[in-house]
Amino acid sequence: MTPPHTTTEATPVADRSAGSSPATPADAPAGTAAGTTAQPPDGAAPPARPARPARVARPNGQWAVDGKEPLNGNEKWKQEDGGLSVRQRIEDVYSREGFDSISGDDLHGRFRWWGLYTQRKPGIDGGRTAQLEPHELEDKYFMLRVRIDGGAVSTEQLRVIADISRDFGRDSADITDRQNIQLHWVEVENVPEIWRRLESVGLQTTEACGDVPRVVLGSPVAGIAADELIDPARVIKEITDKYIGVPELANLPRKFKTAVTGHPSQDVVHEINDVGFVALEHPELGVGFDLWVGGGLSANPRLGERLGAFVTEEQVADVWHGVVQIFRDYGYRRLRNKARLKFLLADWGPAKFREVLETEYLGYALPDGPPAPQPTQPGDHVGVHKQKDGLNYVGAAPYVGRVSGSILAAVADLAESAGSRRVRFTPHQKLLVLDVPDEHLERVVSGLKEQGLDADPSPFRRSTIACTGIEYCKLAIVETKASASRAIDDLEKRLGDLSAMKPLSLHINGCPNSCARIQTADIGLKGQLVLDDEGNQVPGFQVHLGGGLASDDRAEAGMGRTVRGLKVTNDDLPEYVERVVRQFEKEKDGTETFAQWAHRADEESLR
């Protein structure tokens, strides 16, 4: 249901007429004034000042308030020709005539609606990222995201992705922290064949990027965990079947991220999604979901908030649709850097958001509900775990999500050799093989390790994630994947005597946009150029300490602490992490967590 296009008036700024200038203190003695303003002769009346007109607030581009007139170039081309339309041109024109035939709006805009971004041209250092235009930064190759809602694939689907990677992507593949598979080196000439192969096994790239509902994060152990409260697979399928790829929701102010979990570990990072559904048992209404809205990180991080509403399984898709329509109709479109749902929620507050959702979009009130309990176990699902049917699943860690088509094909073969047909990806860049019988466990675990996928990783191998970085990303300033892998190997040696410590999350990002969730890590690193000891500008990181999402270690999510001037060069990264971890071990109070210590420690202890 689309709300009426009502108009709200902006509150004008108070007139500053004569005698009310804020520059003159209210208790100033007669005949004096602040500054150097000339005074009239004794007894003369002061000259009258013309009243300033009230300031009129600029429209924010909210469709339901300001109308649909586009207020920037991005909004204009989205209205003229939506992102979904470009597929036909890719198939009929661009794939036949090549990269140079692609129009600018399509290349830098609409291609994203089908999971395609141009990747960074090799050899351009991070100091030039902000200096060059997109066409100067980009290569004639694409990054392609395969949309995998809930992170669930069959071994047949996995093998198709692997073959595409080897045939068209130079054997590249990354497991992202959005449960997608990301390929590189894709040429536009091959995109129609890639789509044909993916769609033949029920996969797609539709709305994997763009100002649309992105992939729906779902619990990687949906339907199999012995302690699961509810299987969210049905509601994820209902959302994606009804609403992905439909014009009604294909022009949002910006991207819209969703997370749904039925597992008590709260394994989908719901606090940093635009909308999240977290399973809990209501004392009177039974099992359902707690509703969260308005999370997001990037350069202006904000944690989502509970609306205090309880949502049944049958209501999830309806409520999701209502929230995304609020974003479409009331979201801010004038400025791209204010166009996420988190800014609307910050202005409205949870109470108003819930009221608008119920009255304008749902047509019914949601019952109040309590918050979900604090998780009692990690949500990355690494290791060997029993399923509710008596079989096992094995969760394994690659190096910061980096795999390959060949590795994915080997995983498909290994799973099938053990009688399994199901694999899952996690929001923590991990991979799970489901349905493994006891007699095949040892062979599956060792087979995964041969492929660089460790089911018993070191604390840093387990808890380190990294974004794409300067290797492929046009926004990046520093390299991330290789640096993170080197740091893991170095830290395993440096901190080997602390191998029994609880894993500390180390998140490495190549720019300020926080694709690797740096503000919610124990140690978060934001890529930038820094000065080394000799005064040379080199790749490095600003350090955030003590962030985290709800987990078995902390009841509530919180942002990391930044210390003024605390930066580290890429080369010094392992040494710095060792130093701060050992300082924590020295100063911690009993069972105090790293995050608790980092927020109370003296600045010198953190350097």
Side-chain angles (χ1 to χ4, degrees):
M1 177 181 70
T2 302
H5 285 12
T6 56
T7 301
T8 58
E9 295 182 359
T11 302
V13 176
D15 290 346
R16 292 176 179 173
S17 54
S20 64
S21 171
T24 304
D27 57 353
T32 66
T36 58
T37 304
Q39 299 301 304
D42 290 344
R49 289 184 188 175
R52 294 180 181 177
R55 294 178 183 175
V56 178
R58 297 182 66 182
N60 281 313
Q62 297 170 280
W63 282 1
V65 176
D66 306 310
K68 292 188 177 182
E69 180 182 355
L71 300 180
N72 58 54
N74 198 74
E75 287 299 311
K76 184 177 180 181
W77 67 249
K78 285 197 295 179
Q79 283 197 31
E80 289 174 348
D81 188 12
L84 295 175
S85 68
V86 78
R87 174 161 179 161
Q88 200 65 46
R89 289 192 290 280
I90 292 173
E91 292 180 332
D92 295 344
V93 181
Y94 302 143
S95 65
R96 298 176 183 179
E97 298 183 10
F99 184 91
D100 292 336
S101 69
I102 305 171
S103 72
D105 283 350
D106 284 349
L107 184 64
H108 302 125
R110 298 182 185 93
F111 267 48
R112 299 176 185 182
W113 272 242
W114 293 95
L116 291 157
Y117 280 100
T118 50
Q119 66 186 41
R120 189 187 189 94
K121 189 179 297 181
I124 301 177
D125 64 68
R128 302 179 68 195
T129 296
Q131 299 172 356
L132 301 179
E133 296 296 323
H135 70 275
E136 297 175 294
L137 283 166
E138 68 194 5
D139 210 346
K140 293 186 178 183
Y141 297 95
F142 291 89
M143 175 204 78
L144 176 67
R145 288 181 188 157
V146 181
R147 182 180 183 122
I148 305 173
D149 294 281
V153 292
S154 67
T155 51
E156 179 190 21
Q157 291 172 325
L158 189 61
R159 193 171 284 108
V160 166
I161 295 172
D163 288 343
I164 290 170
S165 168
R166 292 184 290 193
D167 291 347
F168 304 119
R170 300 188 187 181
D171 206 23
S172 67
D174 289 328
I175 302 170
T176 77
D177 58 10
R178 298 295 302 173
Q179 295 182 296
N180 291 317
I181 289 290
Q182 191 164 284
L183 308 177
H184 298 280
W185 302 108
V186 171
E187 296 174 288
V188 70
E189 290 87 347
N190 297 320
V191 170
E193 173 61 14
I194 291 172
W195 282 335
R196 186 195 66 77
R197 294 191 190 185
L198 290 173
E199 290 165 5
S200 72
V201 292
L203 292 172
Q204 61 180 334
T205 69
T206 313
E207 297 183 339
C209 310
D211 299 348
V212 291
R214 302 281 185 93
V215 64
V216 178
L217 295 188
S219 173
V221 294
I224 64 163
D227 54 350
E228 182 179 54
L229 293 171
I230 190 170
D231 181 355
R234 187 194 67 79
V235 299
I236 292 173
K237 186 176 188 303
E238 184 178 0
I239 290 170
T240 55
D241 285 352
K242 282 185 177 180
Y243 300 120
I244 300 308
V246 300
E248 171 195 358
L249 300 178
N251 181 0
L252 303 179
R254 282 198 73 182
K255 57 190 172 186
F256 183 86
K257 296 182 176 181
T258 305
V260 188
T261 184
H263 196 262
S265 66
Q266 299 176 18
D267 47 7
V268 292
V269 297
H270 62 278
E271 302 101 322
I272 55 173
N273 280 263
D274 294 282
V275 64
F277 298 88
V278 182
L280 79 159
E281 185 163 7
H282 191 288
E284 299 170 358
L285 303 175
V287 175
F289 295 92
D290 188 24
L291 176 60
W292 289 68
V293 170
L297 295 179
S298 192
N300 294 288
R302 193 176 196 280
L303 295 171
E305 296 188 56
R306 298 182 57 245
L307 295 193
F310 179 79
V311 182
T312 67
E313 180 183 11
E314 293 72 25
Q315 293 171 325
V316 169
D318 196 23
V319 171
W320 180 92
H321 189 215
V323 173
V324 76
Q325 286 181 100
I326 289 177
F327 183 42
R328 180 195 64 196
D329 299 335
Y330 287 102
Y332 304 142
R333 293 173 180 263
R334 180 170 65 87
L335 299 175
R336 292 283 289 174
N337 63 355
K338 298 290 185 182
R340 291 293 302 276
L341 185 63
K342 61 187 176 183
F343 295 103
L344 180 67
L345 182 70
D347 289 346
W348 279 9
K352 179 177 177 179
F353 196 101
R354 179 175 173 179
E355 178 187 6
V356 172
L357 173 65
E358 293 174 339
T359 59
E360 295 189 27
Y361 292 88
L362 295 180
Y364 56 85
L366 296 167
D368 293 339
Q374 179 179 346
T376 58
Q377 59 187 290
D380 62 4
H381 303 296
V382 169
V384 176
H385 305 268
K386 274 291 180 187
Q387 299 178 181
K388 60 186 177 184
D389 59 4
L391 298 173
N392 306 275
Y393 70 87
V394 180
Y399 277 100
V400 291
R402 176 56 52 86
V403 286
S404 67
S406 297
I407 289 173
L408 297 178
V411 170
D413 291 342
L414 179 64
E416 290 179 356
S417 74
S420 169
R421 296 289 186 274
R422 297 193 291 173
V423 171
R424 302 269 172 90
F425 303 116
T426 84
H428 302 279
Q429 298 182 335
K430 306 298 184 286
L431 178 148
L432 277 56
V433 176
L434 311 189
D435 307 327
V436 180
D438 290 346
E439 60 269 24
H440 292 300
L441 266 178
E442 184 176 345
R443 184 171 60 82
V444 168
V445 169
S446 61
L448 288 171
K449 192 163 188 175
E450 290 172 7
Q451 298 301 323
L453 302 166
D454 200 335
D456 186 23
S458 69
F460 282 102
R461 173 82 174 265
R462 177 171 183 169
S463 57
T464 300
I465 68 173
C467 73
T468 300
I470 203 169
E471 182 180 9
Y472 297 119
C473 178
K474 300 191 297 293
L475 301 178
I477 301 168
V478 302
E479 194 280 325
T480 55
K481 293 284 191 183
S483 297
S485 297
R486 287 193 299 269
I488 290 168
D489 289 341
D490 201 345
L491 289 167
E492 287 174 349
K493 298 172 185 175
R494 289 173 177 267
L495 297 170
D497 58 313
L498 301 178
S499 59
M501 73 176 184
K502 194 169 183 67
L504 301 180
S505 53
L506 175 64
H507 293 188
I508 303 178
N509 213 76
C511 77
N513 287 328
S514 200
C515 295
R517 311 196 294 255
I518 55 172
Q519 299 97 334
T520 58
D522 285 310
I523 304 173
L525 302 168
K526 179 175 73 176
Q528 58 183 230
L529 298 179
V530 303
L531 298 179
D532 65 11
D533 292 339
E534 286 73 44
N536 301 309
Q537 200 173 58
V538 296
F541 305 93
Q542 182 187 57
V543 181
H544 299 249
L545 295 168
L549 302 178
S551 69
D552 51 331
D553 274 342
R554 61 188 301 160
E556 295 180 350
M559 300 292 187
R561 171 187 180 184
T562 57
V563 176
R564 184 179 296 275
L566 180 52
K567 299 174 183 178
V568 60
T569 68
N570 186 33
D571 290 343
D572 292 338
L573 174 58
E575 180 182 350
Y576 169 74
V577 174
E578 179 189 15
R579 186 165 65 247
V580 75
V581 169
R582 290 200 182 278
Q583 195 67 24
F584 160 62
E585 288 290 319
K586 177 181 176 181
E587 295 183 5
K588 70 178 180 180
D589 182 10
T591 60
E592 187 176 34
T593 67
F594 181 89
Q596 290 168 335
W597 170 79
H599 279 282
R600 72 160 178 84
D602 294 336
E603 288 190 3
E604 286 307 309
S605 295
L606 305 177
R607 294 187 183 277

mmCIF file of all heavy atoms in Angstrom, residues 41 70 76 168 171 305 320 378 395 441 502 570 584:
data_model
loop_
_atom_site.group_PDB
_atom_site.id
_atom_site.type_symbol
_atom_site.label_atom_id
_atom_site.label_comp_id
_atom_site.label_asym_id
_atom_site.label_seq_id
_atom_site.Cartn_x
_atom_site.Cartn_y
_atom_site.Cartn_z
ATOM 1 N N PRO A 41 24.216 58.490 18.139
ATOM 2 C CA PRO A 41 24.442 59.528 19.162
ATOM 3 C C PRO A 41 23.463 59.364 20.322
ATOM 4 O O PRO A 41 22.387 58.780 20.184
ATOM 5 C CB PRO A 41 24.196 60.831 18.394
ATOM 6 C CG PRO A 41 24.326 60.474 16.947
ATOM 7 C CD PRO A 41 23.904 59.052 16.831
ATOM 8 N N PRO A 70 13.113 14.622 -9.274
ATOM 9 C CA PRO A 70 14.477 14.220 -8.901
ATOM 10 C C PRO A 70 15.333 15.430 -8.557
ATOM 11 O O PRO A 70 15.314 16.441 -9.260
ATOM 12 C CB PRO A 70 14.990 13.507 -10.155
ATOM 13 C CG PRO A 70 14.144 14.005 -11.277
ATOM 14 C CD PRO A 70 12.808 14.320 -10.678
ATOM 15 N N LYS A 76 17.577 11.238 -11.203
ATOM 16 C CA LYS A 76 17.008 11.514 -12.516
ATOM 17 C C LYS A 76 17.099 10.306 -13.425
ATOM 18 O O LYS A 76 16.105 9.885 -14.031
ATOM 19 C CB LYS A 76 17.711 12.712 -13.156
ATOM 20 C CG LYS A 76 17.108 13.134 -14.489
ATOM 21 C CD LYS A 76 17.796 14.378 -15.032
ATOM 22 C CE LYS A 76 17.167 14.776 -16.381
ATOM 23 N NZ LYS A 76 17.826 15.978 -16.941
ATOM 24 N N PHE A 168 35.385 -17.967 -16.785
ATOM 25 C CA PHE A 168 35.226 -16.549 -17.123
ATOM 26 C C PHE A 168 35.851 -15.588 -16.114
ATOM 27 O O PHE A 168 35.844 -14.380 -16.363
ATOM 28 C CB PHE A 168 33.729 -16.212 -17.242
ATOM 29 C CG PHE A 168 32.987 -17.057 -18.226
ATOM 30 C CD1 PHE A 168 31.936 -17.867 -17.813
ATOM 31 C CD2 PHE A 168 33.333 -17.066 -19.569
ATOM 32 C CE1 PHE A 168 31.230 -18.651 -18.723
ATOM 33 C CE2 PHE A 168 32.634 -17.842 -20.487
ATOM 34 C CZ PHE A 168 31.589 -18.636 -20.061
ATOM 35 N N ASP A 171 39.559 -17.959 -12.283
ATOM 36 C CA ASP A 171 39.531 -18.802 -11.082
ATOM 37 C C ASP A 171 39.412 -17.985 -9.799
ATOM 38 O O ASP A 171 39.779 -18.427 -8.719
ATOM 39 C CB ASP A 171 40.772 -19.698 -11.006
ATOM 40 C CG ASP A 171 40.527 -20.970 -10.200
ATOM 41 O OD1 ASP A 171 39.351 -21.378 -10.081
ATOM 42 O OD2 ASP A 171 41.505 -21.556 -9.692
ATOM 43 N N GLU A 305 17.819 -0.202 15.849
ATOM 44 C CA GLU A 305 17.073 -0.130 17.104
ATOM 45 C C GLU A 305 15.864 -1.058 17.048
ATOM 46 O O GLU A 305 15.271 -1.267 15.993
ATOM 47 C CB GLU A 305 16.596 1.303 17.363
ATOM 48 C CG GLU A 305 17.715 2.299 17.555
ATOM 49 C CD GLU A 305 17.211 3.655 17.990
ATOM 50 O OE1 GLU A 305 16.514 3.736 19.025
ATOM 51 O OE2 GLU A 305 17.496 4.642 17.285
ATOM 52 N N TRP A 320 8.277 -6.843 6.459
ATOM 53 C CA TRP A 320 9.443 -6.473 5.641
ATOM 54 C C TRP A 320 9.023 -5.538 4.508
ATOM 55 O O TRP A 320 9.673 -4.512 4.262
ATOM 56 C CB TRP A 320 10.089 -7.736 5.068
ATOM 57 C CG TRP A 320 11.288 -7.464 4.204
ATOM 58 C CD1 TRP A 320 12.590 -7.418 4.600
ATOM 59 C CD2 TRP A 320 11.291 -7.182 2.797
ATOM 60 N NE1 TRP A 320 13.403 -7.119 3.531
ATOM 61 C CE2 TRP A 320 12.633 -6.972 2.413
ATOM 62 C CE3 TRP A 320 10.304 -7.089 1.824
ATOM 63 C CZ2 TRP A 320 13.009 -6.679 1.101
ATOM 64 C CZ3 TRP A 320 10.664 -6.783 0.511
ATOM 65 C CH2 TRP A 320 11.999 -6.584 0.156
ATOM 66 N N PRO A 378 29.051 -18.643 20.040
ATOM 67 C CA PRO A 378 29.482 -17.872 18.876
ATOM 68 C C PRO A 378 28.557 -18.106 17.682
ATOM 69 O O PRO A 378 27.966 -19.171 17.531
ATOM 70 C CB PRO A 378 30.892 -18.405 18.596
ATOM 71 C CG PRO A 378 31.333 -19.046 19.874
ATOM 72 C CD PRO A 378 30.094 -19.588 20.508
ATOM 73 N N GLY A 395 31.953 -26.386 9.969
ATOM 74 C CA GLY A 395 32.213 -24.995 9.615
ATOM 75 C C GLY A 395 33.697 -24.736 9.523
ATOM 76 O O GLY A 395 34.447 -25.037 10.451
ATOM 77 N N LEU A 441 33.306 -37.814 9.008
ATOM 78 C CA LEU A 441 33.717 -36.531 9.579
ATOM 79 C C LEU A 441 35.211 -36.278 9.435
ATOM 80 O O LEU A 441 35.636 -35.203 8.975
ATOM 81 C CB LEU A 441 33.334 -36.469 11.058
ATOM 82 C CG LEU A 441 32.000 -35.830 11.405
ATOM 83 C CD1 LEU A 441 31.759 -35.882 12.898
ATOM 84 C CD2 LEU A 441 31.963 -34.383 10.912
ATOM 85 N N LYS A 502 40.290 -16.531 23.892
ATOM 86 C CA LYS A 502 39.068 -16.405 23.106
ATOM 87 C C LYS A 502 39.370 -15.577 21.864
ATOM 88 O O LYS A 502 40.084 -14.573 21.953
ATOM 89 C CB LYS A 502 37.968 -15.740 23.936
ATOM 90 C CG LYS A 502 36.589 -15.876 23.341
ATOM 91 C CD LYS A 502 35.534 -15.434 24.325
ATOM 92 C CE LYS A 502 34.139 -15.633 23.755
ATOM 93 N NZ LYS A 502 33.790 -17.037 23.582
ATOM 94 N N ASN A 570 50.862 -0.528 7.444
ATOM 95 C CA ASN A 570 50.570 -1.902 7.040
ATOM 96 C C ASN A 570 51.693 -2.841 7.477
ATOM 97 O O ASN A 570 51.441 -3.935 7.980
ATOM 98 C CB ASN A 570 50.379 -1.949 5.523
ATOM 99 C CG ASN A 570 49.921 -3.305 5.039
ATOM 100 O OD1 ASN A 570 49.194 -4.003 5.731
ATOM 101 N ND2 ASN A 570 50.357 -3.704 3.853
ATOM 102 N N PHE A 584 46.561 -6.145 26.878
ATOM 103 C CA PHE A 584 45.265 -6.594 27.405
ATOM 104 C C PHE A 584 45.443 -7.766 28.364
ATOM 105 O O PHE A 584 44.871 -7.779 29.462
ATOM 106 C CB PHE A 584 44.347 -6.968 26.239
ATOM 107 C CG PHE A 584 43.200 -7.867 26.607
ATOM 108 C CD1 PHE A 584 42.229 -7.459 27.511
ATOM 109 C CD2 PHE A 584 43.085 -9.138 26.046
ATOM 110 C CE1 PHE A 584 41.169 -8.293 27.845
ATOM 111 C CE2 PHE A 584 42.034 -9.971 26.377
ATOM 112 C CZ PHE A 584 41.077 -9.555 27.281
#
